[in-house]
Amino acid sequence: MKKIITIAILLFSFVSFAQIKVIETVPVEKLGKVNNNYIQKIGDEYTVYYTSILNDDDSSPLRKFSFKNVNNDYTNLYNIIMGGFTATPLYDIKLELPNNYIWLHYTGNVVPDKATVQFMVSSKDRDAATNSVSEPFVKDQISKLFQK
């Protein structure tokens, strides 16, 4: 009986002080994609990956900005971008995110279907100040990117 109790205590100590622990993972969901640009969702955080057209020292042209979906911010961002296409005249919209400032830069001509928007992203961190500009997107590409 003493051996059984000793073995049970020994096994219990190994189980309670194990080096390997199972950690719950949150699934990564890739939403819409346009060329190399896409939106990724992890839990309640959305990350927009876009191709920067500015050439700098960094070798990767892929940039990103992230935000949490507090108060339905994902849909609100989509609505803000789409609303800018119908504004007359087209004007830039400045947005503040937790780590970045984003300007939605609209360009276009008389034909509404030819209007484009670019993300102009600036980091809030003064020490690692980075600026980037996305490639231009037309209205249909924004709908595809946001899966709307």
Side-chain angles (χ1 to χ4, degrees), residues 34 78 81-86 106 112-117 136-146 148:
V34 174
Y78 172 76
I81 294 171
M82 295 306 277
F85 282 112
T86 59
Y106 292 90
D113 294 339
K114 298 296 180 183
T116 63
V117 64
F137 297 101
V138 294
K139 196 173 184 179
D140 290 341
Q141 289 176 319
I142 292 294
S143 293
K144 185 176 178 184
L145 189 64
F146 280 80
K148 300 285 182 176

Side-chain angles (χ1 to χ4, degrees), residues 6-105:
T6 306
I7 291 174
I9 291 172
L10 191 60
L11 285 175
F12 179 71
S13 67
F14 281 122
V15 171
S16 64
F17 298 109
Q19 293 181 28
I20 300 174
K21 296 179 183 177
V22 176
I23 299 174
E24 184 179 336
T25 57
V26 178
V28 176
E29 187 178 346
K30 202 177 231 185
L31 301 176
K33 183 175 182 182
V34 174
N35 301 328
N36 291 330
N37 311 288
Y38 62 94
I39 297 178
Q40 178 176 292
K41 178 184 175 194
I42 301 174
D44 67 343
E45 182 171 286
Y46 289 87
T47 304
V48 177
Y49 291 90
Y50 61 93
T51 305
S52 177
I53 59 173
L54 292 180
N55 293 329
D56 55 4
D57 295 339
D58 194 359
S59 60
S60 174
L62 201 60
R63 300 283 188 264
K64 66 179 179 176
F65 60 88
S66 300
F67 58 93
K68 290 193 181 270
N69 194 26
V70 183
N71 300 328
N72 208 14
D73 288 338
Y74 179 73
T75 302
N76 291 339
L77 177 61
Y78 172 76
N79 291 335
I80 290 168
I81 294 171
M82 295 306 277
F85 282 112
T86 59
T88 310
L90 295 178
Y91 60 94
D92 290 355
I93 300 170
K94 184 176 181 180
L95 305 172
E96 182 179 3
L97 292 162
N99 299 318
N100 304 74
Y101 292 108
I102 298 177
W103 286 265
L104 302 174
H105 177 66

